[in-house]
């Protein structure tokens, strides 16, 4: 049995890292307050389905103790065996249509066959079609007494607000590295694997906050090294490049030695190393440098300035995303390094005149690409101006990004934005930024709004001849940022951990 299943928690108290969820649920259960619809939102591998099953047990348990299912009654045992008829788990990703929901609605009116409640767990519920959501909504509006819905999703923003508002919502958090590492050490003990603390930390870091990913990595490494797991073994098995190499790369770049940096990458590629992971390691090292630079106030501690670090993180993130689909795996990294070299020399020469301005050619906006229909009651110019005004005091960098785009259409809750440059578009689409922009649109328009971003000219290169313009624009954008903006971007990268600049 895979570790994640083997160690799936059976009680609320066994769930790691989601105390804010389990404590509330246990209290409600103790007081007999059971809701008819729950929304469990959070990243994959954070325990949504596990908690849903425990909740299904608890509401059906005949001897609930302190809000916990007993684990011994017939309902508890049937759920553990997976033979409990009143727990229905539906994968909404593959049953997403109106007919699937209708079939479920017909079932809903039957009494539970053995339990007190019939519990429907809808996994990946955001995948349902609009019609299916409407059908589901009708049930949520008048739920039969004996029914409980648990909607699980990694993308709660894709759910209609009408559905969300009918549910009691719980947000599942990603695990932090320390508690995930501890969890990995605990499971290793149970599995009689001797694991070094540094090895567990590295696995935790690679797992990115997901318990499930953490355990599957542990399993993967155990295949090669069943009794003892060292940090070196983790690096070896996962094909990770060691931190030394990423530090070397940064030293070379700080010295302006792009040529040797390229050789280093070439060497790694020849050894068949995982370059995607290498890029991740470099980004993590940069993150450390950024943190050092900001907390010490010394910009040069790592050899790179804050501006350079931020630029390089951006370049490597994009390169990292392209490596696995690239014809030559090392090419995206090589391009990133060359671009970084150019960025550094551009900074040094401070060639403001040679970089293009940020102003968008307003007349041509919206001419290309698929036609977008606009609600005639909406004055696009006025709405856009107001949204820009509202965003500005909140977040200067998002405001600057929006200047690279344009509102080209609005219809029934969707605002269509068009950008000249991928860089701007992708940054605006990042969840945190997108939510801010959508919130401001909602305030201006007076109803929930989602934004749909696209590139002008159907996503091709900007309609100008200079092939380096794209990056020129990005350079220009960074150059126009003040220190405050840099700190904000830095804080975003560090997850808001930096308290002060000096
Ligand atoms: Zn029980």
């Amino acid at each position: 049995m895979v570790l994640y299943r083997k160690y799936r928690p059976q009680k609320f108290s066994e769930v790691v890292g989601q105390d804010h969820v389990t404590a509330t649920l246990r209290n409600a259960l103790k007081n007999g307050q059971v809701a008819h619809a729950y929304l469990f939102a959070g990243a994959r591998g954070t325990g949504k389905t596990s908690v849903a099953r425990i909740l299904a047990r608890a509401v059906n348990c005949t001897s609930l103790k302190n809000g916990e299912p007993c684990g011994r009654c017939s309902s508890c045992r049937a759920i553990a065996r997976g033979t409990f008829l009143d727990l229905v788990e539906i994968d909404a990703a593959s049953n997403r249509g109106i007919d699937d929901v209708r079939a479920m609605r017909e079932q809903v009116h039957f009494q539970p066959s053995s339990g007190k409640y019939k519990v429907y767990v809808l996994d990946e519920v955001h995948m349902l079609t609009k019609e299916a959501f409407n059908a589901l909504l009708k049930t949520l509006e008048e739920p039969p007494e004996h029914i409980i819905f648990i909607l699980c999703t990694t993308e709660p923003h894709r759910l209609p607000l009408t559905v969300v508002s009918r549910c009691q919502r719980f947000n599942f958090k990603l695990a932090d590295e320390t508690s995930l590492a501890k969890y990995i050490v605990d499971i290793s003990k149970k599995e009689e694997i001797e694991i070094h603390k540094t090895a567990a930390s590295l696995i935790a870091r690679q797992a990115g906050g997901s318990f499930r990913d953490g355990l599957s990595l542990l399993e993967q490494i155990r295949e090669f090294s069943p009794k003892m797991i060292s940090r070196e073994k983790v690096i070896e098995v996962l094909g990770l490049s060691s931190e030394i190499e990423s530090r070397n790369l940064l030293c070379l770049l700080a010295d302006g030695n792009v040529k040797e940096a390229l050789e280093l990458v070439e060497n790694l590629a020849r050894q068949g190393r995982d370059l995607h992971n290498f890029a991740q390691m470099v980004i993590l090292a940069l993150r450390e440098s950024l943190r050092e630079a900001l907390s010490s106030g010394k910009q040069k501690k790592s050899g790179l300035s804050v501006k350079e670090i931020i630029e390089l993180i951006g370049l490597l993130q994009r390169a990292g995303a392209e490596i696995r689909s690239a014809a030559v795996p090392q090419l995206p990294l090589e391009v990133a390094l060359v671009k970084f070299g150019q960025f550094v020399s551009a900074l040094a020469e401070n060639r403001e005149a040679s970089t293009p301005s940020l102003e968008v050619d307003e007349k041509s906006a919206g001419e290309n690409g698929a036609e977008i229909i606009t609600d005639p009651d909406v004055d696009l110019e006025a709405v856009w101006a107001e949204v820009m005004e509202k965003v500005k005091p909140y977040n200067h960098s998002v405001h600057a990004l929006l200047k690279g785009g344009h509102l080209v259409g609005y219809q029934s809750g969707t605002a269509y934005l068009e950008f000249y440059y991928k860089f701007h578009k992708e940054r605006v689409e990042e969840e945190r930024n997108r939510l801010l922009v959508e919130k401001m649109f909602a305030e201006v328009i007076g109803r929930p709004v989602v934004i749909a971003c696209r590139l002008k000219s159907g996503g091709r290169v900007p309609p100008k001849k200079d092939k380096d313009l794209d990056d020129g624009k990005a350079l220009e954008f960074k150059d126009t940022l003040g220190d405050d903006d840099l700190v904000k971007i830095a804080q975003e990268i560090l997850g808001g951990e930096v308290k002060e600049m000096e």
Side-chain angles (χ1 to χ4, degrees):
M1 203 194 305
V2 296
L3 290 180
Y4 188 73
R5 287 225 194 89
K6 184 168 174 187
Y7 291 102
R8 196 187 265 287
Q10 307 294 328
K11 287 178 173 183
F12 288 120
S13 57
E14 292 169 12
V15 178
V16 187
Q18 313 294 348
D19 292 351
H20 59 297
V21 174
T22 52
T24 313
L25 286 173
R26 282 176 68 176
N27 265 330
L29 286 161
K30 271 190 269 180
N31 300 328
Q33 295 161 330
V34 178
H36 285 290
Y38 294 92
L39 175 61
F40 289 179
R44 50 178 252 106
T46 49
K48 299 184 295 295
T49 317
S50 300
V51 173
R53 284 189 195 159
I54 298 170
L55 180 57
R57 276 181 162 202
V59 295
N60 281 305
C61 179
T62 52
S63 49
L64 195 69
K65 284 193 189 81
N66 207 7
E68 290 275 24
C70 71
R72 286 184 302 274
C73 70
S74 60
S75 303
C76 281
R77 278 184 290 135
I79 291 179
R81 281 195 309 266
T83 56
F84 190 66
L85 292 173
D86 296 318
L87 171 60
V88 185
E89 294 188 46
I90 299 172
D91 174 17
S94 46
N95 303 281
R96 57 194 301 263
I98 174 92
D99 293 339
D100 298 306
V101 173
R102 277 204 190 117
M104 184 180 78
R105 285 185 61 197
E106 278 162 24
Q107 295 299 312
V108 154
H109 295 284
F110 295 111
Q111 290 295 320
S113 50
S114 61
K116 232 186 298 178
Y117 290 96
K118 210 171 169 98
V119 181
Y120 285 87
V121 179
L122 275 70
D123 212 6
E124 299 299 325
V125 71
H126 59 269
M127 298 297 285
L128 290 184
T129 62
K130 203 174 144 202
E131 293 73 27
F133 268 126
N134 284 336
L136 176 63
L137 185 61
K138 280 186 197 144
T139 314
L140 292 181
E141 278 166 349
E142 287 170 32
E145 268 305 302
H146 58 273
I147 292 289
I148 295 173
F149 283 103
I150 306 174
L151 314 183
C152 299
T153 181
T154 48
E155 298 180 47
H157 56 274
R158 284 173 63 186
L159 267 55
L161 285 180
T162 44
V163 169
V164 174
S165 67
R166 296 273 161 194
C167 300
Q168 192 178 347
R169 176 171 176 163
F170 291 95
N171 292 320
F172 285 65
K173 294 185 292 194
L174 280 171
D176 60 82
E177 264 174 45
T178 319
S179 40
L180 189 47
K182 185 181 168 294
Y183 179 69
I184 287 165
V185 170
D186 289 347
I187 299 290
S188 301
K189 255 184 216 153
K190 289 181 189 159
E191 289 290 303
E192 296 179 341
I193 306 167
E194 194 188 322
I195 188 165
H196 293 180
K197 261 197 176 147
T198 50
S201 302
L202 191 55
I203 294 174
R205 188 181 285 187
Q206 288 294 313
S210 161
F211 289 100
R212 187 186 316 171
D213 289 356
L215 289 193
S216 52
L217 286 172
L218 179 64
E219 240 164 357
Q220 206 180 322
I221 299 157
R222 180 170 71 171
E223 298 265 304
F224 294 89
S225 186
K227 288 286 158 215
M228 207 276 292
I229 296 178
S230 64
R231 183 181 161 80
E232 287 66 35
K233 202 74 206 173
V234 176
I235 291 171
E236 189 191 324
V237 174
L238 300 183
L240 300 178
S241 310
S242 71
E243 273 182 23
I244 299 166
E245 275 151 339
S246 55
R247 293 274 170 200
N248 280 348
L249 183 84
L250 292 183
C251 285
L252 290 169
L253 291 176
D255 290 344
N257 197 339
V258 175
K259 191 166 161 279
E260 274 188 44
L262 288 170
E263 278 167 19
L264 191 153
V265 170
E266 177 70 45
N267 265 328
L268 295 178
R270 255 204 304 270
Q271 294 165 25
R273 300 277 285 270
D274 184 334
L275 293 176
H276 179 265
N277 277 323
F278 178 67
Q280 293 303 112
M281 289 296 260
V282 180
I283 290 170
L284 288 170
L286 283 166
R287 184 176 180 270
E288 287 303 309
S289 302
L290 191 57
R291 203 201 289 258
E292 276 170 23
L294 289 171
S295 62
S296 71
K298 282 186 226 140
Q299 302 227 326
K300 278 284 176 187
K301 194 163 177 182
S302 69
L304 293 167
S305 72
V306 171
K307 224 175 220 189
E308 288 167 338
I309 292 172
I310 290 173
E311 175 69 15
L312 190 52
I313 289 176
L315 286 168
L316 290 175
Q317 273 176 336
R318 271 171 279 159
E322 289 164 11
I323 285 170
R324 288 195 169 141
S325 58
V328 183
Q330 65 265 43
L331 192 61
L333 266 185
E334 290 169 345
V335 171
L337 296 181
V338 172
K339 279 184 177 172
F340 181 70
Q342 288 171 340
F343 174 81
V344 173
S345 29
L347 265 190
E349 290 167 28
N350 199 12
R351 294 180 311 203
E352 276 170 30
S354 67
T355 50
S357 97
L358 248 187
E359 290 306 309
V360 169
D361 180 3
E362 299 200 0
K363 265 185 239 144
S364 62
E367 277 176 13
N368 297 307
E371 198 191 339
I372 293 167
I373 304 154
T374 294
D375 191 329
D377 297 335
V378 175
D379 179 345
L380 294 180
E381 299 255 321
V383 167
W384 185 236
E386 215 178 314
V387 168
M388 293 285 277
E389 269 311 297
K390 276 180 170 289
V391 169
K392 199 173 182 181
Y394 267 91
N395 190 321
H396 284 283
S397 59
V398 174
H399 183 256
L401 290 168
L402 289 178
K403 275 162 92 185
H406 221 66
L407 177 63
V408 294
Y410 171 83
Q411 201 191 22
S412 40
T414 303
Y416 298 90
L417 306 187
E418 215 166 64
F419 291 87
Y420 269 93
Y421 298 101
K422 211 167 140 199
F423 169 76
H424 294 147
K425 173 176 168 286
E426 284 174 354
R427 289 293 314 277
V428 170
E429 281 174 330
E430 284 168 15
E431 185 171 11
R432 190 185 306 220
N433 296 341
R434 187 175 49 73
L435 290 177
L436 173 69
V437 177
E438 287 177 347
K439 180 169 177 281
M440 295 313 171
F441 262 110
E443 283 179 15
V444 172
I445 291 179
R447 58 162 290 180
V449 173
V450 294
I451 58 169
C453 301
R454 66 177 196 183
L455 276 181
K456 202 166 155 46
S457 311
R460 281 194 297 276
V461 184
K464 296 187 184 160
K465 279 164 222 98
D466 187 347
K467 65 179 164 49
D468 290 322
L469 200 61
D470 194 351
D471 302 303
K473 190 72 88 174
L475 286 181
E476 156 76 7
F477 164 70
K478 291 246 166 71
D479 279 350
T480 57
L481 292 176
D483 281 349
D484 279 0
D485 294 322
L486 283 173
V487 173
K488 278 200 188 110
I489 295 181
Q491 282 172 335
E492 281 171 23
I493 293 171
L494 297 176
E497 290 166 42
V498 180
K499 298 270 173 353
E500 54 199 63
M501 173 80 181
E502 240 111 17

